[in-house]
Amino acid sequence: MADDTVVRFEVQDGIGVITVDYPPVNALGPGVGEGIVAAVEQGEADPAVAAMVLMGAGRSFIAGADIRRFGKPRATPKRRSYDALEASSKPVVAAIHGYALGGGLENALCCHYRIAVPGAKVGLPEVLIGILPGGGGTQRLPRLIGPKAALEMIVSGRHVPAPEAKALGIIDEIVEGRDLRAEAIAYAKRIATLRPLPRVRDMTVKQADPGLFDTMRQSIARRARNQKAPYHCIAAVEAAVTQPFEEGLRTERRLFEELENSEEARALRYAFFAEREVARLPFLPKDLPLPEIRTAAVVGAGTMGGGIAMSFADHGIPVKLLDASPEALARGMGRIRDNYAVSVKRGSLAQAEMDRRLPLIEPVESYEAISDCDVVIEAVFEQLPVKQEIFAKLDAAMKPGALLLSNTSALDIDAIAAVTRRPEAVAGAHFFAPANVMKLLEVVEGAKTAPATLAAAMKLGRAIGKISAYAGNCDGFVANRSRVPFNIEQGLMVEEGALPEQIDKVMVDFGYPMGPFAVNDMSGLDVSYQTRKRRAAADPNYRGLPIPDRLVEMGRKGQKTGAGWYRYEKGDRTPHVDPETHRIIREVAAGMGIEQRSFTDQEILQRLLFSSVNEACKILEEGKALRASDIDVMWLNGFGFPRYRGGLMFWADGIGAREIYNQIAAWHQRYGARWRPAELLRRLAESGGSLREAQSPKSR
Ligand code: T1G
């Protein structure tokens, strides 16, 4: 009998309906594969059954293997669902809604027919968690849609909408009706007697274009740096073209086994779950009634304000963009239009989508015009008096119950809330530039922020496609604060003799898309110059950075002036090493009396990242972040930390708290207070505890 707790089998109108019911997404958890096998065997043995349907209960078909079971001992089933479905003597129709991903799609590929509702999505996303399709997908998909299309789907791991999947040949029919089960039963009855049964494994794989696989290897070389899974995916699909089916399956199995417990796969699985854990705020009451967010407003039509407005429009939420200056408002709307037009031109956005989204952004010039919005996000100059003036006006204008959020990247949320009569409605909503692209949203809790406000802001972030991450109110909140020591060490090592291009190479080799100095040149050196000047004016003991100061004072502000740390040819963003920069470094360092020396790549990497690991421990001790894995989510989604390394704290665990502590303690002796080891780091060094599992007292 089928395991009817997670897989049900019912006969209706001569059709055996197999329903997987393993919430929340019908992953192939314990008993699911076995349940499918038992159901197929039951249907085959039942003379009343002419054909069968495989479908999912709840919101989805099958979302793939249960990722939580990877890296743990798993019993090998007597018979896998893929084999039972494919060998069935009666036709099986996969009826897809929601998602058919990974092992889910692979089960569907073993069925004889596949139908789907228009909103369904299919894919083989295994590469995104550092493995490859292990249920025959690398051998069957090329037979069904050709090696080129299969290769693109498997190496990208993207989700393919049902209409495109039909055009490719994955889906036989899109069913529009509202009752998928009824549609599937009707479809099964129509094909019940058709023979021979169409089995994907029997299809002949079309010959691949010569060089298809090497071309793919070259095209992914930059983003697949230091990784194995993308290349193993290519090799597996290549086997579908060069080897008989059974041998290809064996090749796929071998390649899969090489990946399952790789560091890269463990890191990517960790990132997957960390990005879901980050949504949990255990200190909040359960089931809080939250305000419905149907309309939004953004104050400030600058780059950030425009990007934030786009995030709302991208998710179908009408948004009013307010700026006191009509010229600034016009410029902001123009920038938004241009951003969408570039995406359409690149082919990453359909024109119809641009035409749908743009009207959702309404430029307005008065606070009265936004007073009825459910949420307002302030995104003006990063100066406290300016923000306080805005919040006083918002407090006077906005309807009761509206969320009043600030996009400030570091200013005191309490000082902003204090100018309103409703500090309980105020929180930080810190977007990362470009706001319509970067997924991280740091939600900052002020001293008087109400639990419902905090929960609503976290939920709002997810509603506009962001990964909301909690931060306590402190200078730089969590993400930027944990990054500041990295920036300081970057500046100090240049004074001590490490060249910008050496530091950049270390970080690019580590897996960053760009080195920190190239990033500085791209964003403009004058931005941090102003910040250093402000801090120096406020704090006589502030340790400035004379070398980037000198560059800015010489007009070398980065790409926008043709030179910064690097030199740039006109109209070209390629950084070129500049001997003039070396001269400036030597001159300023000499003036500071600093002896220049050489650095190893390892010292550079550890000076940069250990300093941030130490700060992350201090942040956790203070309860300003809930979990170390939240900080990893921020580094992955806010700073471009290489995903296949899991995150700052996951990576640090690979070295170990003890070794990191000992190195930091040595630098504390050599360099002084800035390297004082965090108490949490010392405790973990002593206990041998895990950095990535560290949590703040607030998270309990
Ligand atoms: N395994 C275990 N748990 C899963 C899961 C999975 N495959 N997919 C989702 N969850 C949990 C998730 O952790 C969360 O848990 C809840 O379900 C809702 O997920 C043999 C080897 C399907 C697009 O990679 O992409 O098949 O937080 O918040 O935004 O070749 O989940 O509620 O406790 O993401 O609506 C291949 C991964 C596996 C799909 C839904 N499959 N999942 O997104 O919900 S490897 C995948 C997703 C494989 C075979 C190979 C998404 C989603 P909690 P969610 P969502």
Side-chain angles (χ1 to χ4, degrees), residues 68 115 123 158 309 528 549 560 571 580 605 629 634 679:
R68 292 184 194 283
I115 65 175
R158 72 185 177 96
S528 48
D549 287 353
K560 58 187 169 187
E580 175 62 2
L605 182 70
S629 59
M634 295 179 183
E679 182 51 26

Side-chain angles (χ1 to χ4, degrees), residues 64-116:
D66 186 339
I67 306 174
R68 292 184 194 283
R69 299 172 79 190
F70 286 127
K72 295 170 186 155
R74 287 194 306 277
T76 307
K78 285 197 307 294
R79 196 178 186 207
R80 301 205 316 169
S81 56
Y82 312 109
D83 306 325
L85 289 163
E86 188 166 68
S88 168
S89 56
K90 300 177 181 176
V92 186
V93 179
I96 299 168
H97 71 300
Y99 294 97
L101 298 174
L105 179 57
E106 289 174 303
N107 273 288
L109 293 176
C110 291
C111 294
H112 306 92
Y113 300 90
R114 286 155 293 281
I115 65 175

Side-chain angles (χ1 to χ4, degrees), residues 63 66 93 155 175 288 345 371 458 482 545 611-612 648 674 678:
D66 186 339
V93 179
V155 173
V175 289
L288 270 174
K345 193 154 177 284
S371 59
M458 293 285 287
S482 65
L545 294 172
S611 68
S612 286
L648 176 71
R674 77 172 195 271

Side-chain angles (χ1 to χ4, degrees), residues 55 67 80 94 128 212 304 314 330 359 520 551 575 615 671 673:
M55 63 191 298
I67 306 174
R80 301 205 316 169
L128 304 179
L212 169 70
M304 287 305 283
D314 291 350
N520 291 162
L551 290 174
E615 190 65 28
Y671 293 114

Side-chain angles (χ1 to χ4, degrees), residues 248-497:
L249 283 182
R250 285 193 294 276
T251 300
E252 176 189 271
R253 173 54 43 194
R254 172 178 58 79
L255 293 168
F256 180 90
E257 284 166 357
E258 285 177 14
L259 292 174
E260 182 180 352
N261 292 310
S262 68
E263 189 61 18
E264 159 190 346
R266 291 177 52 243
L268 289 166
R269 286 199 289 270
Y270 163 82
F272 175 87
F273 289 115
E275 288 173 344
R276 283 146 183 87
E277 179 72 11
V278 73
R280 291 191 180 83
L281 303 190
F283 61 89
L284 285 183
K286 292 278 172 278
D287 305 328
L288 270 174
L290 300 181
E292 183 79 28
I293 306 287
R294 284 177 305 277
T295 56
V298 175
V299 179
T303 310
M304 287 305 283
I308 296 168
M310 288 176 72
S311 296
F312 282 103
D314 291 350
H315 291 83
I317 299 176
V319 53
K320 294 181 177 178
L321 182 59
L322 167 61
D323 199 297
S325 145
E327 295 76 19
L329 195 51
R331 269 198 312 277
M333 289 305 293
R335 197 182 297 116
I336 290 168
R337 199 172 295 108
D338 292 348
N339 282 345
Y340 278 133
V342 163
S343 298
V344 170
K345 193 154 177 284
R346 278 201 194 123
S348 57
L349 185 73
Q351 182 63 53
E353 266 303 304
M354 173 174 170
D355 299 341
R356 189 180 65 77
R357 295 178 189 187
L358 211 43
L360 289 172
I361 304 173
E362 180 190 346
V364 296
E365 294 180 17
S366 74
Y367 282 86
E368 187 193 358
I370 66 169
S371 59
D372 195 35
C373 290
D374 301 316
V375 59
V376 57
I377 298 181
E378 167 273 317
V380 299
F381 290 119
E382 195 64 4
Q383 285 170 7
L384 187 56
V386 175
K387 293 186 183 295
Q388 288 176 319
E389 183 190 340
I390 300 269
F391 269 80
K393 290 178 180 172
L394 290 174
D395 186 36
M398 300 308 292
K399 69 181 181 184
L403 295 181
L404 312 184
L405 306 179
S406 170
N407 171 55
T408 180
S409 60
L411 296 176
D412 181 356
I413 295 296
D414 295 340
I416 293 172
V419 303
T420 73
R421 290 157 299 173
R422 44 179 145 174
E424 71 285 354
V426 177
H430 175 212
F431 290 77
F432 285 72
N436 58 308
V437 173
M438 297 299 278
K439 288 181 76 68
L440 180 60
L441 176 67
E442 210 174 14
V443 177
V444 188
E445 180 187 26
K448 295 183 177 168
T449 302
T453 299
L454 191 60
M458 293 285 287
K459 183 179 174 190
L460 172 66
R462 292 192 293 276
I464 59 175
K466 303 301 179 189
I467 295 178
S468 302
Y470 170 87
N473 187 31
C474 60
D475 186 359
F477 309 138
V478 172
N480 285 343
R481 173 178 164 186
S482 65
R483 174 70 198 232
V484 163
F486 177 113
N487 300 337
I488 290 170
E489 294 308 314
Q490 176 192 340
L492 296 179
M493 281 194 284
V494 164
E495 294 173 2
E496 297 168 25

